[in-house]
Amino acid sequence: MSSVFLFISNESGKAIFLISGDVLVKSFCSLSDTCPFQDSCRSCSLLNAAKNYLAGTAPDSRIKTLDGELSAGIGEYKIGKNVLLKVMGLGSCIGVILSDVSTGICGIAHVLLPGASDRGETKYAETAIEKMVEDMVKMGARRSRITAKFAGGAQVFKHMSLDILKIGDRNAISVEETLIKKNIPILAKDVGGEVGRNVIFNPADGSMIVKYTAKGEVLWL
Amino acid sequence: MILMTDLDKLGEEEMDVLKELGNIGTGHAATSLSKLLNKDVYLSVPKVKVGEIKNLSREFIGEVVAGVIIALQDLEEKKSGYLYIMFPEKSARKIAGDLFGMDELDEEMYASTIMEVGNILSSSFCDASADFMNIILLPSPPSFAVDVPTAVIDSVVSQMAKNTNHIILFETSLSSDSDIKIYLALLPEPCLLDDMMKIMGRL
């Protein structure tokens, strides 16, 4: 079955829908906090616009299709062009997004540890960012146009007896320092707190979507 | 002598020993849970997996859990590994409610109840492993968080990831009635496997 990712923005808000056949498989919507249907979309101007677009009845310049999605596992990074980039279930880990709007090449890293690795392991913040920049440039991105957004580094434990679990802050500092050192402008960040996060990058408008895993709250940054 | 058992080259025999350790440990944990809840508790067939850290998120359930993490140490205070107990939220509320005979508990009370259940389960797990193969495991006090399983465990994983790209996961679940289910995972450090192998060698 053919699935299609649509990004829609209009005066009421922005949303990404994954539609497979006639079924709405998932959605990320900037209105989900106020939406009466929450995550089970029924109908709204955004969804209706998507349906009309798919039915071919209404060509709409405010709708863009994305070529699928890529998800980076723990300690990995993924690079793509016009694809949705995801890292899921971040606690103390950080999702780092780099993107070059001029060429549309972007990447996401799931950083596990602060600092750099002398063996080139991308679970470390510095190494992951360096390698991701290199790979993006190889793919055609312009080094000077790359910007960054990142989120994660929480301290999910309300009650904690093990100090080693306090790694979130160190991860966040390490990511930020690396980006500053490499002259990569930071456009947005959402770090710390007590909440786990899913981080999604929407290349159609360059926004980072942060979904708090426990509470379900969604931010578009 | 420090033997560093190579995680990605773990043999059939090592896996079996680990499975047996986990089995006996969770068997005892199930007995304690049964006594605590005064209900029958069932144990699923446990699995031992060696996988790459990058794929870890596929191993856990997708829903929000009340997660309890307990570090295990040997007598020389070496880290032997971690026990990770996941209570899906509904099960956690049910267990806490049943223990207090109330439907509504304040959050503080709820958290400490689940931590205490985690404590009891981990203590019986550790006692059993000591009986079984003379491995002394001392449980740390529990750490508690409510979130998706990977978000809760990733700080532990970062500790382990400093030395390896692989992780061993012993997984099983305990269930009681239709609405109580608990997932248990053991993440051993290489030194626990080394200890196990040494003891097996002597037998």
Side-chain angles (χ1 to χ4, degrees):
Chain A
M1 199 181 335
S2 67
S3 307
V4 53
F5 275 104
L6 291 179
F7 167 68
I8 296 154
S9 72
N10 66 18
E11 44 295 324
S12 57
K14 300 191 272 191
I16 291 169
F17 296 117
L18 171 58
I19 297 172
S20 183
D22 281 337
V23 185
L24 178 66
V25 182
K26 58 185 154 186
S27 65
F28 304 102
C29 181
S30 66
L31 304 172
S32 57
D33 285 346
T34 52
C35 177
F37 301 122
Q38 295 290 339
D39 278 338
S40 53
C41 298
R42 303 260 169 72
S43 77
C44 70
S45 66
L46 289 167
L47 189 59
N48 293 341
K51 282 179 180 164
N52 293 337
Y53 176 81
L54 286 177
T57 51
D60 194 328
S61 59
R62 289 172 302 185
I63 296 182
K64 290 178 190 165
T65 55
L66 300 172
D67 310 327
E69 60 179 344
L70 283 173
S71 184
I74 300 172
E76 278 187 318
Y77 68 83
K78 288 279 160 71
I79 286 173
K81 199 172 171 178
N82 198 39
V83 289
L84 209 59
L85 299 172
K86 303 194 301 183
V87 286
M88 311 300 274
L90 302 170
S92 62
C93 289
I94 309 234
V96 184
I97 294 158
L98 297 180
S99 84
D100 166 18
V101 188
S102 64
T103 58
I105 293 165
C106 44
I108 197 164
H110 187 147
V111 169
L112 184 62
L113 287 160
S117 154
D118 46 16
R119 282 179 295 171
E121 294 173 303
T122 56
K123 54 196 170 190
Y124 291 89
E126 231 178 290
T127 314
I129 293 170
E130 269 166 24
K131 287 203 155 190
M132 195 156 60
V133 170
E134 263 173 48
D135 266 13
M136 286 170 65
V137 170
K138 262 185 223 157
M139 225 179 131
R142 286 195 273 170
R143 175 71 183 77
S144 59
R145 301 295 295 271
I146 293 175
T147 56
K149 295 185 177 184
F150 62 97
Q155 150 83 57
V156 297
F157 293 93
K158 291 186 190 78
H159 298 272
M160 188 169 61
S161 65
L162 299 164
D163 280 347
I164 56 145
L165 301 180
K166 291 180 190 160
I167 198 164
D169 286 345
R170 284 164 52 210
N171 279 338
I173 292 168
S174 182
V175 166
E176 184 149 4
E177 282 178 353
T178 307
L179 292 170
I180 292 170
K181 203 166 76 187
K182 303 206 171 297
N183 280 321
I184 301 173
I186 299 165
L187 302 185
K189 62 172 182 173
D190 176 46
V191 295
E194 289 186 339
V195 283
R197 295 168 172 90
N198 290 336
V199 175
I200 297 133
F201 180 67
N202 171 23
D205 73 339
S207 54
M208 170 170 76
I209 304 164
V210 180
K211 183 163 187 179
Y212 294 155
T213 44
K215 290 174 192 155
E217 207 181 314
V218 180
L219 306 173
W220 284 62
L221 299 169
Chain B
M1 183 177 65
I2 300 167
L3 289 163
M4 285 295 278
T5 308
D6 207 350
L7 291 192
D8 51 336
K9 294 190 188 79
L10 206 66
E12 195 82 5
E13 195 190 346
E14 282 101 331
M15 301 271 261
D16 281 344
V17 177
L18 183 65
K19 202 175 202 170
E20 202 46 40
L21 173 79
N23 244 336
I24 291 175
T26 40
H28 280 238
T31 310
S32 318
L33 184 68
S34 171
K35 279 188 196 145
L36 187 70
L37 299 175
N38 201 15
K39 280 176 184 168
D40 290 340
V41 170
Y42 308 95
L43 198 60
S44 74
V45 179
K47 283 181 228 150
V48 178
K49 294 178 205 164
V50 182
E52 288 186 73
I53 285 174
K54 63 180 185 189
N55 300 327
L56 190 71
S57 46
R58 290 183 213 151
E59 300 296 339
F60 297 116
I61 54 166
E63 60 185 294
V64 171
V65 297
V68 179
I69 290 178
I70 292 127
L72 308 173
Q73 280 189 340
D74 66 9
L75 281 179
E76 293 151 25
E77 300 195 344
K78 269 192 300 180
K79 277 262 155 33
S80 301
Y82 300 88
L83 202 58
Y84 180 21
I85 309 174
M86 290 157 272
F87 304 80
E89 271 224 283
K90 219 178 91 195
S91 297
R93 298 267 168 204
K94 176 87 170 103
I95 290 169
D98 282 0
L99 287 174
F100 278 92
M102 295 191 285
D103 286 340
E104 291 292 314
L105 284 178
D106 71 66
E107 289 305 302
E108 199 57 31
M109 199 81 142
Y110 165 67
S112 41
T113 308
I114 295 305
M115 277 198 285
E116 191 47 34
V117 175
N119 223 350
I120 292 168
L121 294 182
S122 64
S123 305
S124 21
F125 187 101
C126 291
D127 286 352
S129 55
D131 286 350
F132 168 55
M133 44 167 65
N134 273 324
I135 289 179
I136 307 295
L137 294 176
L138 303 171
S140 74
S143 297
F144 177 81
V146 176
D147 217 300
V148 291
T150 33
V152 177
I153 196 73
D154 70 359
S155 42
V156 165
V157 174
S158 19
Q159 284 306 307
M160 305 183 95
K162 284 180 188 164
N163 306 314
T164 175
N165 287 317
H166 291 79
I167 219 156
I168 303 178
L169 198 62
F170 168 89
E171 273 182 309
T172 185
S173 64
L174 309 175
S175 54
S176 176
D177 295 346
S178 54
D179 44 7
I180 291 179
K181 195 150 175 103
I182 299 172
Y183 297 86
L184 254 156
L186 173 68
L187 295 86
E189 292 274 14
C191 85
L192 176 61
L193 296 167
D194 290 343
D195 287 350
M196 276 167 36
M197 289 306 131
K198 271 185 239 161
I199 286 159
M200 292 307 289
R202 263 186 253 140
L203 293 178

